[in-house]
Amino acid sequence: MAVCIAVIAKENYPLYIRSVPIQNELKFHYTVHTSLDVVEEKISAVGKAMADQRELYLGLLYPTEDYKVYGCVTNSKVKFVIVADSSNTSLRDNEIRSMFRKLHNSFTDVMCNPFYNPGDTIQSKAFDSMVSAMMVQAS
Amino acid sequence: MQCLFTSLYTSLAQQLPRESMEWRRSYGRAPKMIHLEANFVQFKEELLPKDGNRALLTFPFLHIYWTDCCDTEMYKASVKDDMLRWQSTLRLHGSVDWLIVVVESEAKKKNKTNILPRTSIVDKIRNDFCNKQSDRCVVLSDPLKESSRSQDSWSAFLTKLRTLLLMSFTKNLGRFEDDMRTLREKRTEPGWSFCDYFMVQEELAFVFEMLQQFEDALVQYDELDALFTQYVLNFGAGDGANWLGSFCAPVKRWSGLLLRRPIDMEKRELIQRGEASLLDLRSYLFSRQCTLLIFLQRPWEVTQRALELLHNCVQELRLLEVYVVQGALDCWVFLSCLEVLHRIEGCCDRAQLEANCSHTVGLWTYATEKLKSLGYLCGLVAEKVPTSEDLNRTVDLLAGLGEERPETVNSLQSPYKKLNEALSSVEAFEKHYLELSHAAMEMYRAIGRMRSARLIGKSLAEFYMKKGDPERAEGFLDDSLRSYVAEGWSLQVTHTRKQMAECQKLLQQTEDYLQTSALLAGDANLTEEERKHFCQEILTFASQPPAPSGEHTHTTVALSMAAFAQLRQMQFSPPGAVVHVGAALQLELRVRCLMPVAMQVEQLAATLHFSLEQGGARGRAGSAQRRTGQGPQGQGDGVVLFPQGSPLAGAGMGALLPPALELYEMQDRSPSDSSLTSTGVVCKNMHLLLRRHDSSASLDTPTAGALPAAVAVDDGAQMLRARDITLQPGDNSILFTAPTGEPGSYTLRQLCGSVGRVQFVQSHIYPVVQYEVYSQEPQLTIEPLSDNLLAGIPQKVKFTIATGHYSVKKGDALQLSNTDSMPILHSSCCSATVLSKRMGESALSIQSSEKVTSISLPPTPPYHTLEFQLEVLCHIPPTPFKPDIERLTNGEVRHRPKSHSHADSGMINIDQKVSIDCPWSIYSTLIALTFYVPFKAKHSILSAGKRKYIQVCLQNVSDTNFHLADPVLTERQPTVSMELLSLNVKKQQPVCSQQSVFCLWEMRWAKPLPLCLQCAFSASFAPVSASDTHTAFKPYRYEFQLDRVSTLYSLKAEILPPSGDQHCRTGALCGLEVSITRQAEPSETEGEEEESTEIEGLRTTKLMYEVVDNSSNWAVCGKSSGVVSMPVAASATHRVQMEVMPLFAGHLPFPNIKVFKYLPHNAVPAIQPDTDSCLENDTISLLDKGLDDQGDTASIRSRGSVHSVGSGEQQRGLPMPRLEPFSPGQVFYWSQGRQVLVLPVTDDHVMEVNVT
């Protein structure tokens, strides 16, 4: 499962970022932040040609020695980034996709909350627990 | 034989691949066109494959028997046997792929002419060997000759050869693949070896490669790759295969990939021998894949796969728990990256490379990272030289690289050399590391991956910091920090800022360092200890004495307030934020201190911008409207809220989310007629919205230039100041006392907190916070306590003094000019109330002199209200009023009290002006008070024959009930002859609101009365509610004049029934006899007034009478009016007869008879007589004795009057004789109210009444 899950606003500031507690949080922040480069690149590369297809999933953004970073972008340019451990080889593309789908659904719920101010950091408990379920359980 | 083939070989080898063949393949794979190329070897029995040997590369696909025998004997003698032997050998090895080629040549034929053409050698061979496969024997005729026959036979032969070759190949390949699959299926069996299998499948790959089928070849390698990967993964999952053991051996060599050879035979042999390590296998596999991909023109796939491979290998080694010397993998990865990059560079031109940076940059970065970690490992990243331990490690690592490959020995830039060099010395390492880093950064920048570039920059900065070179680190850190702040990534901001702080400390950029420290001290992402540390740094600096050297001119350091504290809200008290000069205005500032410890702030000051505003400067009412400048957050209760950034510590959030639009309506009116020319909406905070984003972050970044010049706080300016306060972490409340010395508006501009040498400055306070100070002139108002002030009785009025800026001192007094019409009543219980927050009461002393009443005021501070009440009395002026103008003491012309009727209530009001001298002004204040007269009086004279009565009606027009007492009527010029006899009750009587009281007096006189009588009515009245009835009674006086009181004429009317009848009847004419009797001789004054003519010594006056019946009871027949001459003598009587007809039956009142003075001589008549009555005049028959009409008309004419009563000479439009009524009381009508009985005429009509 994921070791770090982030939701990034259209303006590229983090709306939500959570990583496995045992590891260096800062490193994940750097990783996720850097991955925005690739996200932007992919979005602009996709450009008009892919706009119709509405493929939100961006696939593997970039691998590092230890992690694989996957990305997904909503129509409103909110980005989801999932960082998975490279050693976790059982993780298939389909599972990543379904994780993104879940993440998106939960995010939509958060946005539907009339008390949520779009642009604020996400503090929803439901979202949090959903993310927890997708994260590697720190044993 | 040998020589035959040798002669043909060249052309054969050349021509065989010349044409392509369609290759149909099994398993539904698409057919392909291929070119066959063959290697021809001499037949040897040992070359034939044994069972189980599957070497496809050396496999003999087709056996060809060449012969040029054309002699039957010879064939029979040797060739046939040879062929048989060959065939049997082939059969023995199960090979069915053979071909016999008979080369014919004309030359030979010519020699053997005796040969029977019937049965050729070919036929014989076919007969002997090719039972059913006649195509296994071909004839090649004259192959060395350039003839068409030769050509044809070549072509046919080649086609046959290709077909057979391909057939055999396909068959054998299929068999090979089947075998390979079988072998693969056995992989679960013990003893199965991946290496063996690898060799088998690679054989296939080679074959494909040979056939130029690189795609297929690649597939073979990919399959092998996947298979191996799967095994490793299974191993990780606990399912270990035995053969994998060899790959788990500790890695001894890490020489990196080798991509320059098509096939790395060294590695291949290692694999073949089962001695390869995991890295060897991977390297070999990848080198093969790389070769094939480059054949396929897919270099970018190489880079991508390379990165995957490198990552994967690291992971796999970790998974298999293979022991690797620390750093060895880094070496391997580094070398491999560079090798791949070199390989790619070797096959692409520069432009291609630059266009595809995105594919290679990953490798560059990876190499950089690895070199960096190697550097750290080997102690090359430090200020000092590597230790011996580091050197040992380096030597070990270099040993693992082995010898340099022969291919690269000569190249100067080989990865091997680079690594060797980089690890050899600190300087060389730096050179290489920087080179790589910059290359990677450049590429990232080129493809727009700025964040990645910055990340490398940051690690460069770390490197520089380690090297003790903060100057160079600063730029990179600053760049990164800016971007993190701008994008709101707080954790990175904190981390980078910490590095920045370190860097700045080393660089001794005190100001910047302190600013960064301040930001870090308030950073929630840091631990308490860290924050305290940074806070302490500031405090330490703050407490240091300024540097003694003149180098630093400024002894204080100004830092941004944002890092230190956040403004939360400001609250004014009083909330209106509008006060008068000198008033206390307090401003409570709520500040959230971000420091982790309590801070001692010596002074917190806010500079004020003062502007003199016209509106606020002068005469502003106390309830001035609020200023609108306090922004949308400014609430009604004087609170200004400051917009808060997000809870995230990074201030970047605020910068990213633009503040909400503050829109205001704007109207533009033309100055001439104030018509609307345009209207619109104005955004007030445009400067915030439109500023550039990167500059917006500059407020928070420590290196953002110098703070505004205004930091040098001008001490002379007005300030809000709070001294020696302790700001606790979290919310604090600070109370300022605002200066209110001068009227105008004050705006808070800059906030500055001083801690020792450190000043925290906030250069703008937004939203705008301002307050206003106004100055007010003292004001005096007098208002009645009740709705209306009533004249005549004491009334209370309230004096209100708003002191404004004037402070009432002891001894200050109000000087009221006394007037007679309105004295000020002293009352003992007079006290003044000073209204302020506390009510204060003090006694009021009133002193009166002849001219002025002086009220000494109690001392009152400015901007207070002083109130007291005073009783005043406005005398009711006797009616009718007479104009009188008095001069007041101060020389002003006193306006007399004006009285006029109150429109609504019918009350008469009196405007009473009061002139007051106030101590604060040299001018007198004039204040008008309006009093209302509560009564309205009317008089009337009543007569009874000669007796006269005077009636006075007093109406109470006020809303108050009164008691009335002692009504007295007096004559103002008392004449002895007259006596007024009161007919009124003695005791007091109530006069309710809107009710009237009537009083009556009888006049008695002895001597004739004067023409004009001056009378005065007076009474006392008091409100019913008054407690003290005796003192409360106030006089009311009403003066009037009576004219012509005595009765001159009496009229008597008599209605006479027609003769012979007892009563009058309706419709019958009755006689009306009016007798006018002179009652008294006119007195002298009266006589003058009355017009009289003297004819033959007899004075007569002319009267006109008129019968008017308003109730239509009577019809006057004949004339109804006429003029009579009355002799001026007492008891002279004149009788007039008229005829009237009653129109109704019953007791009918007498018709009215009016008498006027007839004044014929006047040009303009006062009353136009009725033409009707005038016309009837000629039929007047005067019963009087000596008066004839003729004389009358003559007299009229003689006076020049053109009016003639006679019908003949009447001229219209000319002045008529004047009629003048008598004063009431001069004519007494005896028959007033008399009635006469009128009987109905005999009724001829029958009224039928049916009763059922």
Side-chain angles (χ1 to χ4, degrees):
Chain A
M1 303 299 262
V3 286
C4 175
I5 290 177
V7 181
I8 297 141
K10 181 169 176 284
E11 294 86 359
N12 288 338
Y13 63 89
L15 288 175
Y16 181 93
I17 181 159
R18 187 152 157 227
S19 52
V20 173
I22 45 162
Q23 303 192 37
N24 185 5
E25 197 185 358
L26 180 66
K27 188 172 72 181
F28 286 119
H29 280 244
Y30 275 120
T31 307
V32 171
H33 182 246
T34 314
S35 76
L36 291 176
D37 269 342
V38 190
V39 172
E40 282 182 349
E41 200 172 281
K42 290 211 177 199
I43 292 173
S44 63
V46 163
K48 286 130 203 160
M50 291 278 282
D52 301 333
Q53 298 185 17
R54 293 191 182 275
E55 175 63 281
L56 305 177
Y57 180 54
L58 296 174
L60 181 66
L61 296 179
Y62 72 95
T64 66
E65 201 172 289
D66 304 311
Y67 303 107
K68 290 194 170 88
V69 186
Y70 298 90
C72 176
V73 62
T74 69
N75 288 322
S76 53
K77 299 285 178 286
V78 171
K79 294 121 189 155
F80 301 120
V81 173
I82 290 179
V83 182
D85 208 317
S86 281
S87 62
N88 189 352
T89 43
S90 60
L91 209 56
R92 303 265 169 242
D93 207 43
N94 261 343
E95 290 166 63
I96 297 287
R97 274 173 194 269
S98 85
M99 277 164 79
F100 275 125
R101 218 169 294 129
K102 268 198 246 169
L103 202 59
H104 197 170
N105 285 341
S106 194
F107 176 72
T108 314
D109 289 346
V110 170
M111 293 297 282
C112 288
N113 180 356
F115 298 103
Y116 173 75
N117 217 350
D120 284 359
T121 51
I122 295 171
Q123 274 151 350
S124 153
K125 276 183 188 165
F127 190 80
D128 217 37
S129 63
M130 189 275 317
V131 168
S132 302
M134 289 199 300
M135 300 271 267
V136 172
Q137 298 307 312
S139 49
Chain B
M1 286 300 288
Q2 192 65 41
C3 61
L4 169 72
F5 180 73
T6 328
S7 66
L8 291 172
Y9 175 75
T10 4
S11 49
L12 186 65
Q14 272 176 12
Q15 295 200 40
L16 183 64
R18 198 164 285 172
E19 276 177 49
S20 63
M21 287 286 289
E22 195 191 57
W23 182 29
R24 296 172 188 282
R25 304 172 67 192
S26 55
Y27 300 111
R29 283 173 283 191
K32 285 182 175 171
M33 300 304 288
I34 57 168
H35 293 266
L36 284 173
E37 212 172 325
N39 195 14
F40 294 91
V41 233
Q42 195 177 6
F43 179 77
K44 280 176 194 152
E45 197 176 335
E46 50 275 23
L47 282 182
L48 285 175
K50 317 273 181 307
D51 259 345
N53 189 352
R54 297 288 169 204
L56 206 59
L57 275 177
T58 51
F59 191 82
F61 289 104
L62 190 64
H63 303 270
I64 310 171
Y65 191 95
W66 298 84
T67 178
D68 58 349
C69 173
C70 53
D71 191 347
T72 321
E73 275 86 69
M74 197 179 152
Y75 169 73
K76 279 184 183 162
S78 61
V79 177
K80 188 178 175 181
D81 290 342
D82 195 35
M83 276 185 178
L84 277 171
R85 221 178 17 255
W86 176 68
Q87 283 269 313
S88 63
T89 320
L90 286 181
R91 215 171 293 125
L92 200 67
H93 288 91
S95 178
V96 290
D97 304 303
W98 50 266
L99 178 70
I100 300 167
V101 184
V102 181
V103 180
E104 287 181 348
S105 85
E106 291 293 324
K108 277 198 173 174
K109 273 187 185 170
K110 276 175 190 165
N111 293 341
K112 316 280 180 183
T113 43
N114 53 342
I115 295 168
L116 292 172
R118 229 177 349 110
T119 50
S120 68
I121 297 294
V122 181
D123 295 330
K124 276 189 187 295
I125 293 172
R126 280 194 183 138
N127 208 25
D128 289 341
F129 297 100
C130 318
N131 307 338
K132 290 147 197 168
Q133 304 155 288
S134 58
D135 57 340
R136 289 282 171 172
C137 181
V138 287
V139 181
L140 187 62
S141 25
D142 288 332
L144 297 171
K145 291 205 175 139
E146 296 288 322
S147 68
S148 64
R149 186 155 174 258
S150 154
Q151 288 276 315
D152 289 346
S153 83
W154 260 118
S155 157
F157 164 68
L158 283 172
T159 314
K160 176 72 68 179
L161 183 61
R162 281 187 199 118
T163 316
L164 288 175
L165 199 54
L166 193 60
M167 220 161 72
S168 161
F169 173 74
T170 311
K171 193 168 69 194
N172 284 294
L173 190 68
R175 201 181 293 151
F176 184 86
E177 281 182 334
D178 289 343
D179 290 347
M180 191 185 79
R181 270 182 215 107
T182 320
L183 184 59
R184 191 161 64 194
E185 292 313 309
K186 285 181 187 159
R187 66 183 181 274
T188 46
E189 289 174 16
W192 187 84
S193 165
F194 177 77
C195 293
D196 294 347
Y197 176 74
F198 183 91
M199 287 302 149
V200 173
Q201 189 157 5
E202 192 187 23
E203 188 108 23
L204 192 62
F206 283 151
V207 170
F208 282 125
E209 190 180 345
M210 235 160 46
L211 293 172
Q212 309 273 304
Q213 300 305 307
F214 302 117
E215 201 73 57
D216 292 281
L218 189 59
V219 167
Q220 306 312 315
Y221 284 110
D222 288 349
E223 278 180 14
L224 283 170
D225 196 344
L227 186 64
F228 187 73
T229 306
Q230 195 55 51
Y231 266 104
V232 175
L233 294 183
N234 290 352
F235 183 86
D239 179 20
N242 289 336
W243 57 267
L244 212 53
S246 68
F247 293 105
C248 296
V251 176
K252 293 196 188 70
R253 288 188 302 150
W254 40 86
S255 51
L257 295 175
L258 182 66
L259 305 175
R260 280 159 219 247
R261 301 177 201 170
I263 302 171
D264 186 352
M265 291 314 279
E266 265 176 63
K267 295 249 165 58
R268 189 165 188 274
E269 275 160 28
L270 282 175
I271 297 166
Q272 213 163 10
R273 291 204 301 270
E275 288 168 6
S277 69
L278 184 128
L279 286 185
D280 290 333
L281 178 76
R282 283 291 183 194
S283 301
Y284 178 72
L285 246 177
F286 185 74
S287 75
R288 294 298 301 144
Q289 286 168 326
C290 172
T291 310
L292 292 171
L293 283 169
I294 286 173
F295 278 140
L296 286 167
Q297 302 285 316
R298 277 145 59 179
W300 312 123
E301 201 175 327
V302 175
T303 58
Q304 190 198 329
R305 279 172 174 241
L307 205 53
E308 271 173 46
L309 166 89
L310 298 177
H311 289 149
N312 193 29
C313 282
V314 175
Q315 286 295 327
E316 281 182 343
L317 286 175
R318 217 176 276 170
L319 194 66
L320 296 176
E321 293 162 353
V322 175
Y323 171 75
V324 190
V325 176
Q326 198 190 4
L329 265 184
D330 295 337
C331 287
W332 185 76
V333 171
F334 176 77
L335 290 172
S336 302
C337 283
L338 291 191
E339 179 70 15
V340 173
L341 290 169
H342 275 254
R343 184 76 186 89
I344 297 301
E345 277 164 20
C347 69
C348 297
D349 56 26
R350 188 143 204 93
Q352 255 181 309
L353 273 174
E354 271 169 21
N356 287 284
C357 276
S358 56
H359 295 105
T360 52
V361 71
L363 286 171
W364 282 105
T365 317
Y366 201 19
T368 313
E369 272 172 35
K370 288 302 169 188
L371 185 59
K372 181 180 156 194
S373 72
L374 275 175
Y376 281 100
L377 185 71
C378 299
L380 295 166
V381 186
E383 285 173 82
K384 51 191 187 305
V385 288
T387 60
S388 60
E389 200 181 326
D390 294 330
L391 288 174
N392 278 341
R393 204 175 286 138
T394 313
V395 169
D396 286 349
L397 285 176
L398 289 177
L401 299 179
E403 286 298 309
E404 180 158 21
R405 284 358 177 311
E407 290 91 338
T408 59
V409 165
N410 295 321
S411 103
L412 290 169
Q413 284 286 306
S414 73
Y416 180 87
K417 285 206 183 71
K418 271 192 186 169
L419 184 60
N420 249 325
E421 200 184 317
L423 296 184
S424 65
S425 74
V426 175
E427 292 75 25
F429 172 78
E430 184 177 347
K431 171 178 160 277
H432 283 282
Y433 176 60
L434 292 184
E435 195 180 299
L436 276 176
S437 296
H438 284 294
M441 266 166 75
E442 292 288 299
M443 286 187 203
Y444 273 135
R445 291 231 169 85
I447 58 173
R449 295 195 187 179
M450 299 314 288
R451 296 180 188 86
S452 311
R454 288 200 187 99
L455 199 63
I456 295 178
K458 246 202 84 209
S459 80
L460 260 183
E462 280 160 25
F463 171 75
Y464 281 130
M465 289 300 290
K466 284 264 183 191
K467 297 283 287 179
D469 191 358
E471 282 95 348
R472 292 213 261 179
E474 193 194 357
F476 291 113
L477 286 176
D478 185 38
D479 187 35
S480 302
L481 186 55
R482 272 171 197 275
S483 87
Y484 295 141
V485 167
E487 291 198 320
W489 289 73
S490 66
L491 229 53
Q492 277 102 310
V493 168
T494 309
H495 181 234
T496 314
R497 210 168 256 166
K498 245 163 78 180
Q499 294 174 326
M500 194 73 180
E502 199 184 326
C503 176
Q504 285 164 341
K505 191 173 186 180
L506 286 174
L507 286 174
Q508 297 192 315
Q509 296 170 336
T510 319
E511 210 164 306
D512 292 339
Y513 175 62
L514 289 176
Q515 181 68 72
T516 312
S517 297
L519 287 165
L520 285 168
D523 196 329
N525 284 331
L526 289 178
T527 60
E528 193 71 20
E529 283 70 38
E530 284 173 302
R531 291 176 61 184
K532 278 182 181 156
H533 163 74
F534 286 111
C535 189
Q536 196 52 50
E537 290 282 305
I538 301 171
L539 291 175
T540 311
F541 175 82
S543 57
Q544 273 171 6
S549 66
E551 198 179 332
H552 293 89
T553 46
H554 53 280
T555 51
T556 57
V557 170
L559 305 177
S560 162
M561 175 76 89
F564 175 69
Q566 289 177 331
L567 301 186
R568 310 293 291 189
Q569 68 169 49
M570 282 199 193
Q571 186 162 17
F572 281 104
S573 159
V578 177
V579 292
H580 55 72
V581 171
L585 178 69
Q586 285 197 323
L587 183 61
E588 188 191 352
L589 173 66
R590 289 235 177 111
V591 162
R592 171 165 293 176
C593 181
L594 300 172
M595 294 293 117
V597 293
M599 295 290 278
Q600 278 292 335
V601 180
E602 283 130 41
Q603 171 177 293
L604 188 64
T607 43
L608 288 169
H609 175 259
F610 171 74
S611 76
L612 193 74
E613 237 179 68
Q614 310 94 302
R618 211 151 291 283
R620 191 133 191 186
S623 59
Q625 78 273 22
R626 271 182 57 79
R627 297 271 307 148
T628 51
Q630 299 197 349
Q633 278 87 5
Q635 278 139 22
D637 48 357
V639 178
V640 180
L641 289 177
F642 293 95
Q644 294 306 310
S646 79
L648 275 182
M653 284 289 288
L656 274 166
L657 296 173
L661 290 175
E662 286 176 23
L663 297 175
Y664 291 88
E665 189 185 352
M666 180 210 68
Q667 290 187 342
D668 186 14
R669 294 179 181 279
S670 83
S672 56
D673 56 347
S674 79
S675 63
L676 195 63
T677 51
S678 73
T679 183
V681 170
V682 180
C683 177
K684 281 227 171 164
N685 55 350
M686 198 153 58
H687 59 290
L688 292 177
L689 293 162
L690 290 185
R691 72 179 168 190
R692 278 168 57 227
H693 270 262
D694 46 346
S695 68
S696 71
S698 71
L699 277 174
D700 305 303
T701 43
T703 51
L707 281 155
V711 160
V713 176
D714 181 11
D715 275 326
Q718 300 240 50
M719 281 194 165
L720 294 176
R721 227 186 282 254
R723 289 187 190 280
D724 289 325
I725 40 178
T726 306
L727 290 181
Q728 298 292 340
D731 285 350
N732 291 274
S733 169
I734 303 152
L735 213 58
F736 291 104
T737 305
T740 53
E742 277 190 65
S745 91
Y746 294 78
T747 312
L748 269 68
R749 279 289 161 87
Q750 199 184 71
L751 198 64
C752 175
S754 313
V755 180
R757 293 173 61 199
V758 178
Q759 287 190 325
F760 293 98
V761 178
Q762 177 147 354
S763 50
H764 293 99
I765 295 178
Y766 186 84
V768 174
V769 179
Q770 58 180 198
Y771 64 90
E772 267 183 31
V773 175
Y774 64 91
S775 148
Q776 192 193 5
E777 291 298 315
Q779 272 187 336
L780 169 68
T781 50
I782 302 176
E783 14 179 60
L785 269 185
S786 53
D787 289 345
N788 291 328
L789 287 173
L790 292 176
I793 51 172
Q795 294 285 291
K796 278 192 172 171
V797 289
K798 190 170 82 173
F799 281 66
T800 309
I801 298 171
T803 53
H805 61 70
Y806 182 78
S807 127
V808 178
K809 293 171 283 291
K810 199 172 166 67
D812 279 342
L814 292 181
Q815 308 279 347
L816 276 72
S817 308
N818 290 343
T819 61
D820 295 335
S821 59
M822 196 190 80
I824 286 145
L825 302 179
H826 299 237
S827 78
S828 52
C829 56
C830 234
S831 69
T833 310
V834 179
L835 292 178
S836 63
K837 279 170 198 157
R838 295 174 295 116
M839 299 285 269
E841 268 200 20
S842 46
L844 202 65
S845 71
I846 301 174
Q847 282 162 353
S848 251
S849 68
E850 195 180 332
K851 286 281 187 187
V852 289
T853 302
S854 160
I855 304 166
S856 58
L857 301 170
T860 314
Y863 297 101
H864 280 65
T865 307
L866 189 66
E867 276 185 359
F868 59 90
Q869 292 179 2
L870 218 56
E871 273 199 329
V872 292
L873 179 67
C874 178
H875 291 304
I876 301 172
T879 44
F881 307 109
K882 288 186 185 116
D884 56 342
I885 292 171
E886 272 179 43
R887 295 216 143 236
L888 287 177
T889 42
N890 52 16
E892 248 188 285
V893 172
R894 189 200 139 177
H895 299 261
R896 68 179 172 92
K898 281 180 267 178
S899 69
H900 42 81
S901 190
H902 200 274
D904 296 332
S905 60
M907 289 163 88
I908 293 167
N909 58 12
I910 306 163
D911 282 345
Q912 183 71 48
K913 294 252 166 133
V914 188
S915 168
I916 304 165
D917 286 330
C918 303
W920 53 81
S921 166
I922 56 160
Y923 301 107
S924 303
T925 312
L926 270 183
I927 288 168
L929 288 174
T930 305
F931 289 91
Y932 295 91
V933 181
F935 294 108
K936 225 159 87 175
K938 277 187 297 188
H939 66 272
S940 50
I941 184 145
L942 307 171
S943 319
K946 282 186 179 177
R947 295 166 74 176
K948 295 285 167 182
Y949 301 87
I950 298 172
Q951 187 194 49
V952 174
C953 168
L954 193 68
Q955 191 189 359
N956 179 3
V957 288
S958 74
D959 293 329
T960 321
N961 298 334
F962 292 105
H963 280 301
L964 194 70
D966 310 327
V968 175
L969 188 69
T970 49
E971 200 182 351
R972 279 197 289 170
Q973 297 113 21
T975 45
V976 210
S977 61
M978 198 182 77
E979 191 185 353
L980 286 168
L981 205 67
S982 172
L983 302 172
N984 300 311
V985 290
K986 287 285 181 285
K987 59 178 184 183
Q988 47 177 273
Q989 45 185 326
V991 195
C992 291
S993 171
Q994 310 298 337
Q995 301 299 316
S996 303
V997 161
F998 293 88
C999 302
L1000 197 68
W1001 285 267
E1002 187 182 354
M1003 295 168 74
R1004 302 244 175 109
W1005 62 91
K1007 284 193 235 171
L1009 284 171
L1011 193 63
C1012 183
L1013 273 175
Q1014 299 286 339
C1015 298
F1017 169 80
S1018 68
S1020 300
F1021 68 97
V1024 170
S1025 56
S1027 50
D1028 188 3
T1029 44
H1030 291 291
T1031 53
F1033 274 99
K1034 298 290 167 191
Y1036 177 75
R1037 197 173 156 82
Y1038 173 61
E1039 290 176 2
F1040 56 94
Q1041 179 178 325
L1042 294 172
D1043 293 321
R1044 302 183 194 96
V1045 178
S1046 55
T1047 310
L1048 277 182
Y1049 299 100
S1050 64
L1051 282 177
K1052 210 172 220 173
E1054 204 68 51
I1055 290 180
L1056 306 168
S1059 52
D1061 213 339
Q1062 194 78 34
H1063 293 284
C1064 302
R1065 290 181 189 277
T1066 52
L1069 281 174
C1070 311
L1072 172 67
E1073 189 188 80
V1074 179
S1075 56
I1076 304 166
T1077 312
R1078 179 130 213 168
Q1079 287 291 332
E1081 292 247 2
S1083 59
E1084 284 187 12
T1085 48
E1086 266 178 272
E1088 277 167 24
E1089 205 183 294
E1090 212 170 346
E1091 198 61 45
S1092 60
T1093 48
E1094 218 171 303
I1095 300 164
E1096 297 156 20
L1098 183 70
R1099 283 174 67 224
T1100 57
T1101 42
K1102 289 201 171 175
L1103 290 177
M1104 181 177 155
Y1105 65 88
E1106 190 185 2
V1107 179
V1108 182
D1109 180 41
N1110 290 325
S1111 50
S1112 318
N1113 289 331
W1114 302 92
V1116 183
C1117 301
K1119 60 172 185 152
S1120 64
S1121 60
V1123 178
V1124 292
S1125 293
M1126 287 294 291
V1128 186
S1131 303
T1133 303
H1134 202 103
R1135 280 199 177 76
V1136 183
Q1137 300 279 345
M1138 279 173 285
E1139 283 189 320
V1140 292
M1141 191 205 291
L1143 299 175
F1144 298 100
H1147 290 283
L1148 294 184
F1150 275 45
N1152 275 342
I1153 295 154
K1154 287 178 185 169
V1155 181
F1156 302 94
K1157 292 178 209 166
Y1158 189 81
L1159 306 174
H1161 69 284
N1162 257 1
V1164 181
I1167 295 169
Q1168 196 81 18
D1170 260 358
T1171 33
D1172 176 46
S1173 63
C1174 286
L1175 285 173
E1176 282 168 351
N1177 272 357
D1178 22 16
T1179 52
I1180 290 175
S1181 61
L1182 290 173
L1183 298 178
D1184 219 323
K1185 39 191 174 175
L1187 282 175
D1188 61 333
D1189 276 336
Q1190 206 61 36
D1192 182 32
T1193 47
S1195 75
I1196 292 169
R1197 229 181 251 129
S1198 69
R1199 282 166 193 268
S1201 167
V1202 281
H1203 173 68
S1204 150
V1205 192
S1207 59
E1209 296 129 335
Q1210 195 171 17
Q1211 288 176 336
R1212 294 198 173 269
L1214 288 170
M1216 302 272 285
R1218 191 162 57 99
L1219 291 175
E1220 203 170 81
F1222 285 100
S1223 313
Q1226 279 187 307
V1227 177
F1228 181 70
Y1229 187 35
W1230 286 94
S1231 309
Q1232 179 86 43
R1234 272 189 72 184
Q1235 291 180 334
V1236 66
L1237 181 68
V1238 178
L1239 295 177
V1241 288
T1242 327
D1243 198 2
D1244 294 332
H1245 301 284
V1246 178
M1247 187 200 277
E1248 282 181 23
V1249 179
N1250 293 328
V1251 180
T1252 54

